[in-house]
Amino acid sequence: MTSRAVKEGRTDLHRMWVDQYGILHASPDPGVHLTRAEAKAAVDLGWVLQEQVVRPVVMDLRSIRSMDRDARAYYAGPEVAARTPAAALLVGNPLTRVIGNFFLGLNKAEHTLKLFGDEPAAVEWCRTYL
């Protein structure tokens, strides 16, 4: 974790925190397969941690195994767009880069998305949406 946690919590499969800038971070557990139900649980927890204030998010996809189509559609949809103006997707290996590119190409998100391989750069980009 690059940014200092001010508030944190977790779902069954995600560790989440708000950093000192007010950016929400979501870090799924290593090797997980994310479903729509877990995506919704993460978004709901994030909304609580954000104190129901619209904020950008850094989502770390670097260690997940997979994400189903319904989860990708949910993350790209109107409920998430109403709670975040932008999401930085951290990718590392070829698999997570493919997952990130699904967000960018297939789901046509209702908020701004960008892929990053570097967490500090993702945080700096998100700071422009505060």
Side-chain angles (χ1 to χ4, degrees):
M1 170 177 70
T2 300
S3 302
R4 182 172 42 93
V6 174
K7 279 189 158 178
E8 50 187 313
R10 78 170 282 112
T11 68
D12 289 342
L13 301 177
H14 280 83
R15 178 173 171 267
M16 301 180 72
W17 67 96
V18 176
D19 70 18
Q20 71 267 29
Y21 305 115
I23 297 167
L24 179 67
H25 294 252
S27 183
D29 295 339
V32 300
H33 168 76
L34 295 178
T35 64
R36 185 186 188 288
E38 180 57 26
K40 178 147 179 40
V43 169
D44 289 346
L45 174 60
W47 194 234
V48 170
L49 293 174
Q50 294 169 211
E51 299 177 342
Q52 299 182 351
V53 174
V54 174
R55 300 177 194 264
V57 63
V58 174
M59 184 162 182
D60 191 345
L61 301 175
R62 293 176 292 189
S63 65
I64 69 170
R65 179 174 44 95
S66 60
M67 183 184 306
D68 69 26
R69 182 181 349 162
D70 289 341
R72 289 191 308 270
Y74 178 76
Y75 278 131
E79 186 173 338
V80 174
R83 297 177 182 189
T84 185
L89 306 176
L90 285 174
V91 296
N93 60 47
L95 172 64
T96 60
R97 190 161 291 280
V98 166
I99 293 168
N101 280 318
F102 273 120
F103 274 101
L104 299 178
L106 297 178
N107 290 95
K108 304 299 180 210
E110 296 188 23
H111 56 291
T112 302
L113 299 172
K114 187 171 179 180
L115 296 182
F116 289 88
D118 174 74
E119 186 173 357
V123 169
E124 285 305 309
W125 180 78
C126 282
R127 288 180 69 188
T128 66
Y129 287 90
L130 291 172

